[in-house]
Amino acid sequence: MSDRRYPDAAADDFPAPPTEFTDREDRTVEIRPYGGSEAAYESLVEMYDAFDPSDRAQGIPPGGEKRIREWLDAILDDDCYNVIAWCGDQVAGHATLVPDGDAYELAIFVHQEYQRAGIGTHLIRGLLGHGQAEGVEKVWLTVERWNRAAVSLYKKIGFETSNAESFELEMGLRLNEDEEDGTDEDDEG
Amino acid sequence: MKVLCGIGGSDDSFRALDQTVERAAVANDDLTVAVVDNEDSSVAPDEVMQRARAAIADAGIDADVRRVEGDPGSRLVEIAEREEFEKIVLGGGHTSPMGKITLGPIAEFVLLNAKTSVTLVR
């Protein structure tokens, strides 16, 4: 699990939240880091409770409020980075980086009412900007290979496929250069 | 039912072992536990064999535990066909820090190639 591969070069700079934009449905959407307030937490629970089960990926988000809360408690922990897309006081989408050894695992969810409006792109860029500012070096994710919309979004962002041998594609992105040394010239090709 | 449970030492494989043994005790299954090579596992095959024997003894059932070397997926499919097993049981996948479930290469191979039903234990 620790031999994941990442692009050699660090990605360009992503905008650190808070940021605001108008989506393709003319809604004002604000991207903000999750600050730990109870109101934000409950709004997240509400979004996931209303989440279309057909948009689940590899078992998340879980179904049912109790399991949603357990899952959120784990991924909203202090060592994780979380960013929320707000439309007024409603959560339109949520993206998260969860630590995994020397890297972070990424996931992003946009509520079905807010999909296909450009929010996912802003949200993931906001999350990566937040992670970049906090010094995160490496990010990986898995995506079901039939999920073309997601795969093309990740590619557009700069993710490169690191493992295509399973049901799911694994992709990696380097956010910041290695801190320890620059001699990361291992077995390329 | 004649059941083949394949385990390689990952956490989910032990979950599959425990549940299959429990189920065998209730349903009177004819159970064989195959200890396969799993390069992603940190538990040595001998220890996996011991865990399997202990689980079987605890449940008070009679089941065969055998060491199966070579490519795990294809060996399980081959044994199931040759010895006319009715079902193959495997671990239900690895859970990432995020909570995403990914199936390992053994489960993927068996799912696609087995002629029997396959159960993945969650």
Side-chain angles (χ1 to χ4, degrees):
Chain A
M1 289 281 120
S2 55
D3 53 355
R4 292 200 164 85
R5 288 191 298 149
Y6 300 90
D8 289 336
D12 293 340
D13 285 349
F14 294 101
T19 56
E20 195 182 278
F21 65 99
T22 304
D23 79 356
R24 289 205 286 268
E25 304 281 335
D26 264 338
R27 295 173 291 211
T28 302
V29 177
E30 201 186 345
I31 311 276
R32 292 198 302 263
Y34 169 71
S37 79
E38 200 184 321
Y41 183 93
E42 293 304 324
S43 300
L44 268 177
V45 172
E46 207 174 295
M47 193 242 338
Y48 282 119
D49 208 22
F51 204 78
D52 187 342
S54 67
D55 282 340
R56 277 189 205 162
Q58 295 168 259
I60 58 168
E65 195 184 319
K66 186 168 167 283
R67 300 180 107 188
I68 289 170
R69 287 179 186 275
E70 283 167 9
W71 176 63
L72 284 175
D73 287 344
I75 65 170
L76 297 175
D77 205 16
D78 288 343
D79 55 354
C80 306
Y81 297 108
N82 285 275
V83 164
I84 295 175
W86 292 96
C87 188
D89 55 7
Q90 245 193 351
V91 174
H94 166 223
T96 177
L97 291 172
V98 177
D100 175 35
D102 64 343
Y104 286 78
E105 182 183 6
L106 178 147
I108 173 170
F109 295 96
V110 176
H111 187 271
Q112 51 276 7
E113 255 178 61
Y114 294 95
Q115 291 175 3
R116 288 172 203 86
I119 294 174
T121 306
H122 281 88
L123 183 55
I124 193 171
R125 286 171 58 81
L127 176 71
L128 293 171
H130 185 44
Q132 212 162 29
E134 297 288 337
V136 170
E137 284 173 17
K138 291 177 287 189
V139 177
W140 66 273
L141 60 85
T142 55
V143 55
E144 286 147 337
R145 52 176 72 237
W146 48 261
N147 192 349
R148 306 227 169 182
V151 174
S152 65
L153 167 64
Y154 297 140
K155 280 190 178 155
K156 196 172 71 186
I157 293 291
F159 277 88
E160 291 179 10
T161 302
S162 53
N163 186 345
E165 285 171 17
S166 315
F167 288 176
E168 309 84 22
L169 283 181
E170 189 181 287
M171 305 179 92
L173 180 77
R174 192 179 295 278
L175 272 186
N176 284 301
E177 295 294 348
D178 231 318
E179 286 240 323
E180 295 112 52
D181 57 17
T183 57
D184 208 357
E185 296 166 27
D186 42 30
D187 52 5
E188 198 47 30
Chain B
M1 190 186 276
K2 199 172 167 186
V3 177
L4 178 64
C5 178
I7 60 172
S10 59
D11 291 348
D12 60 314
S13 79
F14 288 128
R15 244 184 339 263
L17 168 72
D18 291 342
Q19 214 181 97
T20 310
V21 166
E22 229 171 82
R23 174 81 199 141
V26 178
N28 206 17
D29 290 323
D30 176 4
L31 173 65
T32 296
V33 177
V35 175
V36 298
D37 295 331
N38 180 0
E39 55 184 40
D40 294 332
S41 160
S42 53
V43 185
D46 283 349
E47 201 187 323
V48 179
M49 301 272 292
Q50 278 171 24
R51 294 266 292 259
R53 289 202 190 94
I56 288 162
D58 283 353
I61 60 167
D62 190 23
D64 184 24
V65 179
R66 66 172 98 150
R67 175 82 176 97
V68 171
E69 290 179 66
D71 179 71
S74 58
R75 293 283 287 127
L76 286 171
V77 169
E78 182 200 328
I79 291 167
E81 277 176 29
R82 200 179 54 225
E83 300 179 29
E84 296 180 337
F85 280 93
E86 294 162 278
K87 184 163 87 172
I88 300 174
V89 182
L90 299 169
H94 164 82
T95 305
S96 76
M98 177 71 62
K100 280 190 172 181
I101 291 168
T102 35
L103 293 181
I106 302 173
E108 286 190 9
F109 185 91
V110 171
L111 275 178
L112 294 173
N113 291 286
K115 298 278 194 289
T116 67
S117 295
V118 179
T119 299
L120 301 182
V121 176
R122 288 274 152 81

PDB file of all heavy atoms in Angstrom, chain A residues 80-91:
ATOM      1  N   CYS A  80      -7.356  15.664   9.503  1.00  0.00           N
ATOM      2  CA  CYS A  80      -7.882  15.640   8.135  1.00  0.00           C
ATOM      3  C   CYS A  80      -8.107  17.076   7.662  1.00  0.00           C
ATOM      4  O   CYS A  80      -8.180  17.997   8.467  1.00  0.00           O
ATOM      5  CB  CYS A  80      -9.213  14.889   8.081  1.00  0.00           C
ATOM      6  SG  CYS A  80      -9.140  13.223   8.772  1.00  0.00           S
ATOM      7  N   TYR A  81      -8.183  17.248   6.336  1.00  0.00           N
ATOM      8  CA  TYR A  81      -8.529  18.566   5.783  1.00  0.00           C
ATOM      9  C   TYR A  81      -9.862  18.457   5.066  1.00  0.00           C
ATOM     10  O   TYR A  81     -10.049  17.572   4.229  1.00  0.00           O
ATOM     11  CB  TYR A  81      -7.440  19.046   4.815  1.00  0.00           C
ATOM     12  CG  TYR A  81      -6.115  19.240   5.506  1.00  0.00           C
ATOM     13  CD1 TYR A  81      -5.057  18.365   5.287  1.00  0.00           C
ATOM     14  CD2 TYR A  81      -5.942  20.284   6.408  1.00  0.00           C
ATOM     15  CE1 TYR A  81      -3.844  18.526   5.954  1.00  0.00           C
ATOM     16  CE2 TYR A  81      -4.736  20.459   7.073  1.00  0.00           C
ATOM     17  CZ  TYR A  81      -3.690  19.571   6.839  1.00  0.00           C
ATOM     18  OH  TYR A  81      -2.505  19.731   7.494  1.00  0.00           O
ATOM     19  N   ASN A  82     -10.783  19.364   5.429  1.00  0.00           N
ATOM     20  CA  ASN A  82     -12.126  19.305   4.871  1.00  0.00           C
ATOM     21  C   ASN A  82     -12.561  20.660   4.352  1.00  0.00           C
ATOM     22  O   ASN A  82     -12.334  21.682   4.994  1.00  0.00           O
ATOM     23  CB  ASN A  82     -13.117  18.825   5.941  1.00  0.00           C
ATOM     24  CG  ASN A  82     -12.995  17.344   6.202  1.00  0.00           C
ATOM     25  OD1 ASN A  82     -13.590  16.532   5.498  1.00  0.00           O
ATOM     26  ND2 ASN A  82     -12.193  16.982   7.195  1.00  0.00           N
ATOM     27  N   VAL A  83     -13.205  20.633   3.189  1.00  0.00           N
ATOM     28  CA  VAL A  83     -13.676  21.856   2.557  1.00  0.00           C
ATOM     29  C   VAL A  83     -15.129  21.641   2.138  1.00  0.00           C
ATOM     30  O   VAL A  83     -15.495  20.555   1.679  1.00  0.00           O
ATOM     31  CB  VAL A  83     -12.766  22.182   1.339  1.00  0.00           C
ATOM     32  CG1 VAL A  83     -13.423  23.192   0.428  1.00  0.00           C
ATOM     33  CG2 VAL A  83     -11.414  22.697   1.805  1.00  0.00           C
ATOM     34  N   ILE A  84     -15.946  22.679   2.329  1.00  0.00           N
ATOM     35  CA  ILE A  84     -17.373  22.567   2.011  1.00  0.00           C
ATOM     36  C   ILE A  84     -17.761  23.626   0.983  1.00  0.00           C
ATOM     37  O   ILE A  84     -17.308  24.774   1.056  1.00  0.00           O
ATOM     38  CB  ILE A  84     -18.227  22.728   3.291  1.00  0.00           C
ATOM     39  CG1 ILE A  84     -17.949  21.572   4.251  1.00  0.00           C
ATOM     40  CG2 ILE A  84     -19.722  22.787   2.954  1.00  0.00           C
ATOM     41  CD1 ILE A  84     -18.648  21.693   5.598  1.00  0.00           C
ATOM     42  N   ALA A  85     -18.604  23.225   0.015  1.00  0.00           N
ATOM     43  CA  ALA A  85     -19.216  24.181  -0.923  1.00  0.00           C
ATOM     44  C   ALA A  85     -20.587  24.541  -0.364  1.00  0.00           C
ATOM     45  O   ALA A  85     -21.440  23.668  -0.203  1.00  0.00           O
ATOM     46  CB  ALA A  85     -19.347  23.559  -2.306  1.00  0.00           C
ATOM     47  N   TRP A  86     -20.743  25.825  -0.038  1.00  0.00           N
ATOM     48  CA  TRP A  86     -21.994  26.287   0.566  1.00  0.00           C
ATOM     49  C   TRP A  86     -22.840  27.037  -0.451  1.00  0.00           C
ATOM     50  O   TRP A  86     -22.328  27.868  -1.198  1.00  0.00           O
ATOM     51  CB  TRP A  86     -21.711  27.245   1.732  1.00  0.00           C
ATOM     52  CG  TRP A  86     -21.081  26.597   2.926  1.00  0.00           C
ATOM     53  CD1 TRP A  86     -19.745  26.559   3.214  1.00  0.00           C
ATOM     54  CD2 TRP A  86     -21.742  25.918   3.996  1.00  0.00           C
ATOM     55  NE1 TRP A  86     -19.536  25.890   4.399  1.00  0.00           N
ATOM     56  CE2 TRP A  86     -20.747  25.492   4.894  1.00  0.00           C
ATOM     57  CE3 TRP A  86     -23.086  25.620   4.271  1.00  0.00           C
ATOM     58  CZ2 TRP A  86     -21.052  24.783   6.057  1.00  0.00           C
ATOM     59  CZ3 TRP A  86     -23.389  24.923   5.430  1.00  0.00           C
ATOM     60  CH2 TRP A  86     -22.377  24.507   6.318  1.00  0.00           C
ATOM     61  N   CYS A  87     -24.143  26.761  -0.450  1.00  0.00           N
ATOM     62  CA  CYS A  87     -25.087  27.551  -1.210  1.00  0.00           C
ATOM     63  C   CYS A  87     -26.058  28.075  -0.155  1.00  0.00           C
ATOM     64  O   CYS A  87     -26.936  27.354   0.294  1.00  0.00           O
ATOM     65  CB  CYS A  87     -25.784  26.687  -2.242  1.00  0.00           C
ATOM     66  SG  CYS A  87     -26.814  27.633  -3.373  1.00  0.00           S
ATOM     67  N   GLY A  88     -25.832  29.324   0.270  1.00  0.00           N
ATOM     68  CA  GLY A  88     -26.566  29.824   1.431  1.00  0.00           C
ATOM     69  C   GLY A  88     -26.142  29.002   2.641  1.00  0.00           C
ATOM     70  O   GLY A  88     -24.949  28.803   2.875  1.00  0.00           O
ATOM     71  N   ASP A  89     -27.116  28.479   3.402  1.00  0.00           N
ATOM     72  CA  ASP A  89     -26.723  27.649   4.545  1.00  0.00           C
ATOM     73  C   ASP A  89     -26.879  26.156   4.227  1.00  0.00           C
ATOM     74  O   ASP A  89     -26.914  25.324   5.128  1.00  0.00           O
ATOM     75  CB  ASP A  89     -27.506  28.045   5.813  1.00  0.00           C
ATOM     76  CG  ASP A  89     -29.005  27.988   5.592  1.00  0.00           C
ATOM     77  OD1 ASP A  89     -29.431  27.524   4.511  1.00  0.00           O
ATOM     78  OD2 ASP A  89     -29.743  28.406   6.505  1.00  0.00           O
ATOM     79  N   GLN A  90     -26.963  25.856   2.927  1.00  0.00           N
ATOM     80  CA  GLN A  90     -27.055  24.460   2.513  1.00  0.00           C
ATOM     81  C   GLN A  90     -25.718  23.954   1.987  1.00  0.00           C
ATOM     82  O   GLN A  90     -25.015  24.677   1.286  1.00  0.00           O
ATOM     83  CB  GLN A  90     -28.080  24.338   1.389  1.00  0.00           C
ATOM     84  CG  GLN A  90     -29.273  23.514   1.802  1.00  0.00           C
ATOM     85  CD  GLN A  90     -30.129  23.120   0.613  1.00  0.00           C
ATOM     86  OE1 GLN A  90     -29.942  23.583  -0.503  1.00  0.00           O
ATOM     87  NE2 GLN A  90     -31.081  22.261   0.887  1.00  0.00           N
ATOM     88  N   VAL A  91     -25.394  22.719   2.334  1.00  0.00           N
ATOM     89  CA  VAL A  91     -24.166  22.127   1.802  1.00  0.00           C
ATOM     90  C   VAL A  91     -24.441  21.576   0.403  1.00  0.00           C
ATOM     91  O   VAL A  91     -25.296  20.710   0.225  1.00  0.00           O
ATOM     92  CB  VAL A  91     -23.658  21.005   2.725  1.00  0.00           C
ATOM     93  CG1 VAL A  91     -22.466  20.298   2.079  1.00  0.00           C
ATOM     94  CG2 VAL A  91     -23.249  21.557   4.083  1.00  0.00           C
TER      95      VAL A  91
END
